[in-house]
Amino acid sequence: MSKKIDISIIPDNALTELSGKFYDDIAHKSLIQIGDMSESLMKLVFLPFKCLGMTVDELEMKYKSFIEKTINKVPQNKLVEPDPIIAKQILDNVKFVFSENILVEMFSNLLASDMNIDSKNIVHPSFVEILSQMNSLDAQIILYMHYYGCLFESTLHFFIGPRNDVIAHERTFFDIPIDVPSIRQWYLSSNFLEKNGIIESSFERKIRYKKFRKYLKKYYEYNTIPKTIKRIFSINKKAKKVKTHSKLTSIQLLINSCDELTDLLQSIKIKDLRMEMFYEQCKGFFFTPYGSFFRMCCINQESEKYIPKLKQN
């Protein structure tokens, strides 16, 4: 069984020698089966033992698996040498996310794209820098948008107060179609992707109460109406119990989060809701042209298993 490296007893000047010996060993023994290209890629890896907390054997196995899997993604007749700058940056950064399968998969796809003669011309070195700064939520947002085309952020604005009062207190209910740890993390991730030119928010619209209620009625023509929605939006139309598989819309965001909305409004008397002031604010996110090239290089069919599931009641 491999022994863990006790970094406290390793002098700093010994790390380079240890890394060099490791390169020599694996280049002549364990990597000979993968081939010359794998060997050249492996030699680009820098091993900062002090921060990884792995044994040499564990790290070697992870890199062997990563490189072998990446090379196998490229048809043999289209396999070319990768750009050394891109390859070294990928191999330097992937070791920090070996525990995040979704990010490892994207790094592997990006390197495979640069090793494929058909896609090599659309791989930009900046893709590696952006990917190295991403977390798993950033990756989930990109995957969701890749498979569903776009993503909508919906905020419902409720106002509370007696009818004869000029001042009304506002309460907001925010939702998106995927589960996120918190709204703050969603804002950080969406802003990061927008700042780096991967996505853009191309429009923002406001839907007032009457129009929103009309949309709800149309949606519920073929769906059962939750009691909470009936009470808040005064929808009395009898619904037909017919299942539909329509594409997710901002209206369905409200439906899927009915329980959360109930929790938000449970302390409020329905009569105090100023529904004439209610409106929904809807913001759409789409890929930029730069972001489209980025996703083409970082996502393939194997990435489908990492698509975040839609929120359900």
Side-chain angles (χ1 to χ4, degrees), residues 126-238:
S126 63
F127 291 172
V128 187
E129 183 180 355
I130 293 173
L131 187 53
S132 66
Q133 297 177 59
M134 285 172 49
N135 59 28
S136 58
L137 179 56
D138 304 333
Q140 287 178 44
I141 292 171
I142 289 175
L143 277 169
Y144 176 90
M145 292 178 61
H146 175 77
Y147 285 96
Y148 291 99
C150 57
L151 187 150
F152 289 96
E153 168 191 298
S154 177
T155 307
L156 305 181
H157 296 259
F158 293 92
F159 295 86
I160 307 151
R163 298 282 173 182
N164 55 352
D165 259 7
V166 178
I167 300 176
H169 300 286
E170 183 180 11
R171 292 235 184 145
T172 58
F173 177 74
F174 170 87
D175 203 17
I176 55 173
I178 59 176
D179 284 311
V180 295
S182 70
I183 294 176
R184 288 182 179 179
Q185 290 186 41
W186 155 253
Y187 278 129
L188 286 172
S189 289
S190 60
N191 287 339
F192 166 78
L193 294 174
E194 198 164 4
K195 180 182 177 182
N196 283 279
I198 303 297
I199 63 175
E200 60 183 345
S201 51
S202 61
F203 72 91
E204 191 168 336
R205 66 181 182 184
K206 293 182 179 179
I207 303 175
R208 297 292 173 179
Y209 174 66
K210 288 185 178 180
K211 192 171 184 179
F212 188 84
R213 188 164 173 260
K214 182 179 179 181
Y215 287 160
L216 282 175
K217 280 188 174 182
K218 186 176 181 181
Y219 173 80
Y220 283 127
E221 185 177 353
Y222 299 103
N223 296 270
T224 55
I225 309 175
K227 291 181 180 179
T228 304
I229 303 301
K230 278 184 179 180
R231 291 177 63 213
I232 295 175
F233 293 94
S234 303
I235 299 178
N236 299 316
K237 184 174 182 178
K238 188 174 182 180

Side-chain angles (χ1 to χ4, degrees), residues 102 140 143-144 147-148 303-309:
I102 186 173
Q140 287 178 44
L143 277 169
Y144 176 90
Y147 285 96
Y148 291 99
S303 308
E304 188 172 347
K305 59 186 175 183
Y306 299 111
I307 303 174
K309 294 181 180 180

